[in-house]
Amino acid sequence: RARGGHTPSHHMSGLVAHAARARGLTPRSRVRSSRRHHCAVRASSSPSSSAPSSREVGRDDAADDDGVALTRFDGGARASTSDVSEDTDANESLAMHSLRGAVHRRAVLASVVLASGVGDGAWLGERQASASAGPDYALPGPYRVRALPQLEHTCSKCFPMCVGLSCLSRIRVFVPKADVEPDALFPVIGKKTPSTTRTSASEALRYASEPPYPVAIITPGFLIDGESYSSIARRLCSWGYVVVMYTKTESVAGGTLDDEVSAAILGDLISWVDSDVTIGPYANPDQVYLIGHSRGGKISMLQALRDERVKAIALLDPVDNTVYAPLGPGFPSALAAMKANPARVPPLVVVGGVYGGECAPSGSNYEEFFAAAPHGVAAKGHDAWGFSCGAGHFDFIDEATFVQKVICPDGSMDPSVTRDLCAALVVAHGERVLRPDESSDAETLERTLGSLRSQFTDRGVAFDSVHKLK
């Protein structure tokens, strides 16, 4: 009853009525779904969690019966009129009557409308974004997000590098949950369901609903709680990824782990995802996507260079070393390792903030990681994407603490803009590498950037500080 007071039986009856009307089994000209979509605040199970308030749904743009969609950005929610009508002609294709299919149509139409509205003076070279129909990765995806109970894992392989509680990690996992397709309740004799008539990669993406899914693991920065990246994790999960966030047992008072041990913990975590009875059935351990912020970006790269299971990597304001964590025994340079082994670097996207200060100093920051990335033939078919924006070092997390704000300067952009930018690019990069459609990398990027600019323009947010690295 948390969703607008409707019970599961009411919800199912609405689905049945929707499908029955699509098959001409009811004379009523209009059947209003009993399901109403609301944004409800879900209390976090962890006092330290800084996840944004939302219901456990990755697709936050579900339209109500009046055609009004609630589109959640990380800064809040706003109403926007949907241009998609609920056409129920019996001759329309089966896919057009599925609830998830409707969401996909809305996302695709939004990508066309938003992209076509960029116009002259458009961001990044003043080029108009492509209006080709394709998934809009700047919007929530077609999957619901299911949060599993908090888990714990001890890295037994890390002994004696770490002992006792120092090998323990607290883990939060999001898994995709596909919508129930009412068409399956009323099959039409002689016609196949959409899942058996996929003719292209884009169609496969539209109707894909069964595990295993690619595994995305987010490594936090130094002494940052893993759940501080929940907004990005939810967005990625909504596009069909098992997302793992973890927090190592470290403290300022002592007991911190060096980079070699941290990379070993990450590698062991990848193996554990496959073997865990709760997560394993959902996860594809051979399609691993590593995402890291700050020091977590460095650790992610160190592990990616030695782990063939890692197929893609995203670095958010990465840091190779600072005056607080200089290079030395146990603290190798990820930049040097990239330059020494360019063929081992997975396809990469980098997003950095120009206000990193001493927290992400020049010569050790995102610019250096992008410069060290292979290009051309060595890039494994996907050139690195790199972007800078007017963000501070801690604008990439859901909510910075007072101490974090004191240590590192603030950015010129609203932090929610930074997170939405990162979420869109992280999704687009993962899809272009792990589940590519007919679009080229350039078309995927232009479509995503055009949608982002239009969204933020509608919100009255200046987005001119975002630049593509060359």
Side-chain angles (χ1 to χ4, degrees):
R1 294 181 177 276
R3 297 179 178 175
H6 296 290
T7 63
S9 61
H10 285 104
H11 175 52
M12 182 53 68
S13 65
L15 293 176
V16 172
H18 178 87
R21 182 166 63 100
R23 297 293 178 271
L25 300 181
T26 172
R28 294 164 57 185
S29 60
R30 177 174 175 86
V31 178
R32 296 179 64 86
S33 170
S34 62
R35 180 180 178 187
R36 297 285 183 175
H37 300 281
H38 299 278
C39 292
V41 176
R42 182 174 67 87
S44 171
S45 59
S46 171
S48 62
S49 173
S50 57
S53 300
S54 69
R55 56 190 175 90
E56 256 181 48
V57 175
R59 189 193 69 249
D60 294 301
D61 63 337
D64 65 10
D65 289 338
D66 296 324
V68 177
L70 288 178
T71 304
R72 180 182 63 78
F73 297 97
D74 291 328
R78 68 180 177 84
S80 62
T81 302
S82 171
D83 294 324
V84 180
S85 65
E86 295 295 335
D87 185 2
T88 60
D89 191 292
N91 294 324
E92 192 175 4
S93 66
L94 295 178
M96 299 295 282
H97 291 295
S98 68
L99 296 180
R100 185 159 52 81
V103 172
H104 177 84
R105 295 198 309 279
R106 245 186 340 263
V108 170
L109 181 59
S111 70
V112 177
V113 173
L114 292 173
S116 64
V118 177
D120 295 334
W123 166 52
L124 294 177
E126 299 187 353
R127 294 166 56 190
Q128 185 174 9
S130 171
S132 60
D136 187 347
Y137 301 128
L139 297 175
Y143 293 88
R144 297 185 181 277
V145 175
R146 178 188 175 193
L148 299 183
Q150 182 172 293
L151 304 170
E152 292 183 344
H153 174 65
T154 299
C155 180
S156 58
K157 297 179 181 179
C158 299
F159 180 84
M161 294 186 292
C162 66
V163 294
L165 292 178
S166 62
C167 299
L168 178 69
S169 296
R170 292 183 292 106
I171 301 168
R172 175 68 71 183
V173 180
F174 293 153
V175 297
K177 182 180 179 183
D179 281 329
V180 176
E181 296 195 16
D183 292 326
L185 302 176
F186 297 91
V188 177
I189 298 176
K191 291 188 178 181
K192 296 181 179 181
T193 61
S195 61
T196 62
T197 58
R198 298 174 188 170
T199 57
S200 64
S202 60
E203 289 295 300
L205 172 63
R206 181 184 303 185
Y207 298 116
S209 61
E210 297 179 355
Y213 305 106
V215 178
I217 301 180
I218 301 178
T219 299
F222 182 60
L223 298 181
I224 300 177
D225 191 281
E227 294 189 48
S228 296
Y229 307 90
S230 292
S231 59
I232 295 176
R234 284 183 174 274
R235 175 66 65 82
L236 189 57
C237 182
S238 76
W239 282 96
Y241 292 78
V242 172
V243 184
V244 178
M245 300 171 290
Y246 70 103
T247 305
K248 296 176 294 183
T249 305
E250 295 181 295
S251 66
V252 178
T256 57
L257 304 174
D258 65 38
D259 293 342
E260 289 286 5
V261 176
S262 298
I265 290 176
L266 175 55
D268 183 69
L269 193 61
I270 296 173
S271 301
W272 169 78
V273 167
D274 181 35
S275 61
D276 183 76
V277 295
T278 304
I279 308 172
Y282 295 96
N284 183 350
D286 295 322
Q287 282 196 312
V288 177
Y289 185 8
L290 296 185
I291 303 159
H293 169 236
S294 189
R295 181 195 180 202
K298 172 186 179 179
I299 293 170
S300 296
M301 181 57 73
L302 288 173
Q303 182 59 31
L305 292 171
R306 64 184 69 162
D307 197 328
E308 294 182 352
R309 296 170 296 182
V310 179
K311 301 300 191 295
I313 186 168
L315 306 180
L316 309 179
D317 213 28
V319 181
D320 192 49
N321 63 85
T322 66
V323 294
Y324 308 109
L327 301 179
F331 295 90
S333 170
L335 289 172
M338 291 173 67
K339 296 174 183 177
N341 302 280
R344 299 301 301 262
V345 178
L348 169 69
V349 61
V350 184
V351 185
V354 298
Y355 295 98
E358 292 186 355
C359 295
S362 177
S364 183
N365 63 2
Y366 66 94
E367 293 176 309
E368 301 302 319
F369 277 90
F370 178 74
H375 296 273
V377 178
K380 298 181 180 180
H382 301 283
D383 279 334
W385 289 348
F387 298 89
S388 67
C389 62
H393 190 59
F394 288 111
D395 290 343
F396 293 81
I397 64 178
D398 290 343
E399 186 175 351
T401 65
F402 174 78
V403 174
Q404 290 169 338
K405 292 179 179 179
V406 170
I407 296 175
C408 301
D410 293 332
S412 60
M413 293 172 59
D414 188 299
S416 69
V417 175
T418 302
R419 293 192 297 271
D420 286 345
L421 170 67
C422 291
L425 292 174
V426 165
V427 171
H429 177 59
E431 292 296 284
R432 72 159 174 155
V433 176
L434 300 175
R435 289 187 296 220
D437 58 16
E438 292 87 350
S439 302
S440 66
D441 286 0
E443 290 171 340
T444 297
L445 181 59
E446 287 296 324
R447 186 170 62 243
T448 303
L449 297 179
S451 177
L452 278 170
R453 179 174 177 84
S454 295
Q455 288 184 32
F456 294 125
T457 298
D458 290 344
R459 296 164 65 184
V461 177
F463 213 53
D464 297 333
S465 67
V466 180
H467 302 282
K468 186 175 181 180
L469 301 179
K470 300 180 179 179

